[in-house]
């Protein structure tokens, strides 16, 4: 049974590879046997060391994913190094906070370009490679509690993450018959740079903690089981589903 979770010989491309959930998921995927292509804008030396420590290969591609025209070239670079890509984890994401009455077009476009538009065009570029090589593949999109709920003061983030869950379903419907599994993971409230502002606000921190059934913030390590599962043969008949890793937040 456990062999189904083995990712030896697979190549996993993960966006937003330097920090937070991306770094945590890369450690899990490499630990399960995958070589890694990490895409990001910042120094990835800590992630590279994690992967090397697990005995796997790591390629870093520096790119601003807000520019979706880079998608095809990114996949070409990965294929030139590793011959194929089997798994894509669309993880890179940003958030901008402001009252909706004051929200700017820039804070709308920056978030939508990275969190939603690049998810589609990188998925398209990787799926074209899955189809051209006839190898099937896995796409895992990182959604959010705000794929299910409204939130406050984060209009472009909620729009983008609600879109990510819808897009996950659509791509699953189009590509399941081609041997491509498209699924999502919706993290709850996790300790990363992305949520530093919330954790620094004592009253918001207390409010959030008191609502999480597990009684603690999640960590990047908590994402490992879900991402390896969805990337593996064990999830071969799962299509279009977004799995919450949220300490019970949505069950409340
Ligand atoms: P993070 O800020 O640590 O990670 C985001 C990563 O994306 C960073 O490595 C950053 O360098 C990269 N990135 C940002 N802009 C980029 C760009 N233009 N091009 C390329 N890379 C870029 O935050 P995180 O919490 O690890 O977030 C990862 C994902 O998880 C995001 O999609 C986020 O929305 C989602 N998420 C996080 C939480 C949470 O509680 N932390 C909850 C739900 C969803």
């Amino acid at each position: 049974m456990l062999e189904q979770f083995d990712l030896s010989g697979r190549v996993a491309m993960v966006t937003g590879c330097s920090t937070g959930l991306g770094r945590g998921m890369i450690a899990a995927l490499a630990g399960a046997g995958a070589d890694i292509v990490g895409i990001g804008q910042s120094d990835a030396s800590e992630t590279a060391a994690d992967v090397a420590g697990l005995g796997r290969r790591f390629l870093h591609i520096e790119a601003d994913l807000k520019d979706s025209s880079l998608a095809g070239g990114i996949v070409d670079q990965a294929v030139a190094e590793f011959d194929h890509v089997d798994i894509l984890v669309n993880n890179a994401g940003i958030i901008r906070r402001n009252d909706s009455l004051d929200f700017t077009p820039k804070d709308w476009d920056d978030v939508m370009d990275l969190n939603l538009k690049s998810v589609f065009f990188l998925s398209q570029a990787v799926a074209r490679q899955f189809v051209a090589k006839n190898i099937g593949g896995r796409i895992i999109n990182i959604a959010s509690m705000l794929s299910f709920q409204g939130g406050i003061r984060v209009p472009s983030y909620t729009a983008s993450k609600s879109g990510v869950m819808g897009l996950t379903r659509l791509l699953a419907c189009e590509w399941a018959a081609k041997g491509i599994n498209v699924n999502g993971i919706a993290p709850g409230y996790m300790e990363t740079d992305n949520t530093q502002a919330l954790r620094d606000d004592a009253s918001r921190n207390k409010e959030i903690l008191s609502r999480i059934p597990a009684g603690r913030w999640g960590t990047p390590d908590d994402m490992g089981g879900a991402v390896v599962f969805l990337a593996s043969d064990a999830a071969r008949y799962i299509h279009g589903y977004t799995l919450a890793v949220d300490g019970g937040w949505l069950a409340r």
Side-chain angles (χ1 to χ4, degrees):
M1 178 66 205
L2 288 179
E3 280 167 19
Q4 297 189 51
F5 293 88
D6 185 4
L7 302 180
S8 300
R10 311 273 169 89
V11 177
M13 177 182 282
V14 181
T15 68
C17 63
S18 309
T19 56
L21 305 186
R23 186 176 167 199
M25 289 189 286
I26 285 172
L29 291 163
D35 290 322
I36 306 291
V37 182
I39 324 254
Q41 267 189 317
S42 48
D43 173 54
S45 52
E46 289 178 328
T47 306
D50 294 344
V51 176
L54 291 161
R56 311 314 319 173
R57 293 168 66 200
F58 180 71
L59 170 69
H60 183 221
I61 300 177
E62 246 184 90
D64 178 357
L65 289 168
K66 288 204 295 297
D67 180 355
S68 59
S69 72
L70 301 178
I74 288 170
V75 175
D76 289 347
Q77 271 188 71
V79 170
E81 178 76 16
F82 286 121
D83 181 63
H84 58 277
V85 175
D86 305 286
I87 299 155
L88 168 65
V89 182
N90 281 305
N91 165 72
I94 51 171
I95 193 163
R96 298 277 166 78
R97 298 176 196 280
N98 203 351
D99 292 339
S100 288
L101 288 175
D102 300 322
F103 213 77
T104 64
K106 178 163 170 45
D107 282 343
W108 181 269
D109 288 341
D110 285 353
V111 171
M112 293 297 276
D113 284 351
L114 180 65
N115 294 17
L116 188 56
K117 191 173 177 185
S118 87
V119 168
F120 176 72
F121 284 102
L122 197 56
S123 298
Q124 180 192 61
V126 169
R128 284 176 175 164
Q129 183 258 175
F130 293 156
V131 171
K133 288 190 173 326
N134 197 22
I135 55 174
R138 298 295 156 103
I139 297 176
I140 299 159
N141 296 325
I142 303 307
S144 166
M145 295 296 95
L146 300 187
S147 304
F148 299 88
Q149 302 176 317
I152 47 166
R153 305 186 70 249
V154 287
S156 54
Y157 188 80
T158 298
S160 70
K161 292 299 185 177
S162 298
V164 161
M165 195 161 78
L167 186 61
T168 298
R169 294 192 187 107
L170 172 130
L171 294 178
C173 293
E174 285 200 31
W175 294 345
K178 299 182 191 304
I180 301 169
N181 299 69
V182 186
N183 290 293
I185 300 175
Y189 284 79
M190 318 296 274
E191 285 175 11
T192 67
D193 294 350
N194 194 304
T195 54
Q196 190 68 51
L198 285 179
R199 281 175 292 121
D200 289 347
D201 178 337
S203 74
R204 278 291 277 145
N205 188 36
K206 194 168 163 224
E207 205 176 273
I208 288 166
L209 268 182
S210 70
R211 200 198 171 283
I212 301 174
R216 66 169 177 87
W217 285 74
T219 67
D221 288 348
D222 290 325
M223 298 287 287
V227 77
V228 169
F229 167 55
L230 289 175
S232 76
D233 291 343
R236 63 186 166 268
Y237 198 59
I238 300 178
H239 292 277
Y241 193 71
T242 295
L243 175 63
V245 176
D246 67 349
W249 177 276
L250 288 178
R252 190 74 178 254

